[in-house]
Amino acid sequence: MDVVLLSRLQFAAATMFHFLFVPLTLGLSVLVAYMETQYVRTGDKVWLSMTKFWGKLFLINFALGIVTGITLEFQFGTNWSRYSAYVGDIFGSLLAIEATTSFFLESTLIGVWIFGWKKLSAKAHAAVMWLIAAAGNLSAIWILLANGWMQHPVGFDIRNGRAELSDFTAVLTNLFGWLEFFHVVSGAFVLGSFFVMGISAYHLLKKNNVDFFTRSFRIALVFGLASSIVVGLVGDFHGAHVAEVQPEKMAAMESHWETTANAPFYLFVVPDEKNERNFIELGKIDGFLSLLAFKDVNAEVRGLKDFPKDERPPVLITFLAFRIMVALGTLFILLTAAGWFLRNNLTDNPLFLKIMMFSIPLPYIANLVGWIVAEVGRQPWIVYGLMKTSDAASPISVSQVSISLAAFILIYGLLGAVGFYLIGKHAVKGPETDLVAGNI
Amino acid sequence: MDLQIIWFFIWGLLWAVFFMTDGFDFGIGTLMPFMGKNDNEKRIMINAMGPLWDGNEVWLIGAGGVTFAAFPILYATMFSSFYSALLLILFALILRGVAIEFRHHIDSSAWRQLWDACIFIGSVTPAVLFGVAFANIFKGIPIDANGIYHGNLYSLLNFYGLLGGLLFLLLFLEHGALWLAIRTEGDLHERTSKMANGLWWILLTVALIFLIASKYETNLYDNYYEKPVLFILVLVNLAAFLQIKYFLMQKKYLTAWFSSSLAIVCCTFFGLIGLFPTVFPSSIDPAYSLTAFNSSSSPLTLKIMLGVAIVFVPIIIAYQTWAYNLFRDKVTEKTLSSEQAY
């Protein structure tokens, strides 16, 4: 094991663990803000107890998201110092802007929200929740513009042996980053709504607090249906942009080996990376890959063989992750559409509720494999076309990274287990009964 | 003035504000096992920082982000050199953060003891290691021409480094005890203010030893000898220390806490002004040292970031001040029984 591989494993562990919590923070914050607004507007205590119940789950999740986010900023310096020195001019400034414009606001206000129920007016307290939701999503813009820059670097000159900023507007308007932002955030909203629908389904199956959980389910359903459609649409645009600016990634996503016009899409494929072909290709649809990638059935789609072997991303992982993501994305649209037709008699459809309950992990998987497509698919580049991952690691010893990697896995594993246990415990317990009865 | 010089001071200020704000959280977390006689007292101590610690911690992200954006070479060299120390700090901060949130979710004394231990470890570790790291920077780091660090975690634990660690810990303990004195009442208030009074003597002694040791262990004083007017900072620093005691005796705890804040900021700047324009001195050869000029970003990035800082830092200070003001009243048993408490 070398420092590069260990650092990649550590970064993958740290980011993926972080990203178990971020999407729920983004999605649930919006739902909780909406519930609290409904409370302020109507004065109906059920809305208040919904705000508090989902808010509590939000806060446990938030705590894990925020502490794991802190290590990420510093890992660029600890583990990827050559990368940081090379691109800090641009990448570092985006992270710093994120901290100044949104992370400060989010972290300061979370304390105000938790402790400020009696110190602020109901309106102001709801406004604080909206600001928390907005700050979280604003964070995502800056982080994804930073990631988008790694995927498709723009607005820089190579000077003094590093990438120096030459056009900040280009960095801010980088289409890759914006497509990532809309894709990631709508994916996070899907996760947030499936979380709420799944837990509500559990209680509806048990006939606990039917009014409370029917309302929760329906709000999440509307939010989830809209987000599922948006995530798919944006994903389609995003895929087309990837085909344009990262053709190797697109070829790996589809395990597409030969450059062809009118490129076919296969429903079932088993890649054979070693022999640069596919073991199995079934369900051929002529021209569909060209259509997906370039909106033109006759367009030429470049195959992996067109690129030097040492510049191709790992095909199998990228391909599988992409297929899983797309399959799940499609499933989310079907499930939420089905929910739309059943929305008025949810409790009469235990099978649907059961499916929704067991679907809670699926958006988590979809979010994580999405990141695998983006990040593994970019390899061997850390900054696409500019710097290879192998040139980016810090000059540190293998033992340092081995120990820290073990510590990351141990600590994150334990805390993650405790965190999900607590979320599960509160989710199963349901809202405080006195709140539901309205006697607060 | 050069952009790099402006950024050198903004960079220092962000670290100083982080030490000033999250410093009292570290102090409280370290004092908790010794001063909290029962669970209620421990909860009062946690709730004294409860609404604020998260916002305080972000100053670290701000300081880290500014290091990355304004001085990427420094960011790369500093954090890869301090790899083990920094990861220990980060793990500690993770433990503290989740412990504060997790602690109150299950009503069992073993459960709470577990997270209390995490709050303690998560507070004392960063307090000491930040001091160790900064004292080592003042002293010089074995980095070569390529910015590669020739040392390990143990080489940071030298006499002067440990003295720095002790100084930081004491600064934060005093700061935390003062914060508790402001936000508690009754018996706990009596004991925390007594603690602040007692700690003050130890703090002053260690601070003086650190000032003297700096003469022998570092080149920090060179800048001061060159421009003796700078010694005003050292005098202000000493005055701030004395004010802590003066206001403590007058039972003006908030003013004492402000004096303590001033002392922390002065201590940070005492070192940074001594270093200037160096930010990361090499102990192998001064020619390998990183300075504000050879480790900075491009002028365009520095300009854009300056615009961002000028607009947003006052806004941050405004809403944080608002939040501090919102939670200015004392934490009592009654507070604990309401929903708005951990």
Side-chain angles (χ1 to χ4, degrees), chain A residues 52 70 73 89 105 404 426, chain B residues 57 75 83 105 298 319 339:
Chain A
K52 293 210 170 174
I70 290 173
E73 186 198 48
D89 204 56
L105 187 65
S404 64
H426 285 299
Chain B
E57 190 174 81
Y75 173 83
Y83 187 91
H105 282 293
S298 67
Y319 62 66
E339 278 174 69

Side-chain angles (χ1 to χ4, degrees), chain B residues 298-320:
Chain B
S298 67
L300 179 59
T301 296
L302 291 178
K303 259 182 235 162
I304 290 169
M305 291 304 298
L306 191 60
V308 172
I310 288 173
V311 174
F312 281 95
V313 173
I315 296 177
I316 294 167
I317 292 172
Y319 62 66
Q320 287 213 340

Side-chain angles (χ1 to χ4, degrees), chain A residues 10-11 14 71-80 408, chain B residues 75 87:
Chain A
Q10 180 169 311
F11 201 78
T71 57
L72 285 185
E73 186 198 48
F74 289 93
Q75 276 193 64
F76 292 107
T78 54
N79 292 75
W80 304 103
F408 264 102
Chain B
Y75 173 83
L87 282 170

Side-chain angles (χ1 to χ4, degrees), chain B residues 194-216:
Chain B
K194 214 171 135 190
M195 175 63 88
N197 265 303
L199 273 171
W200 183 83
W201 292 102
I202 310 173
L203 172 62
L204 187 73
T205 314
V206 172
L208 289 173
I209 295 173
F210 188 81
L211 275 180
I212 297 163
S214 299
K215 179 158 170 50
Y216 299 98

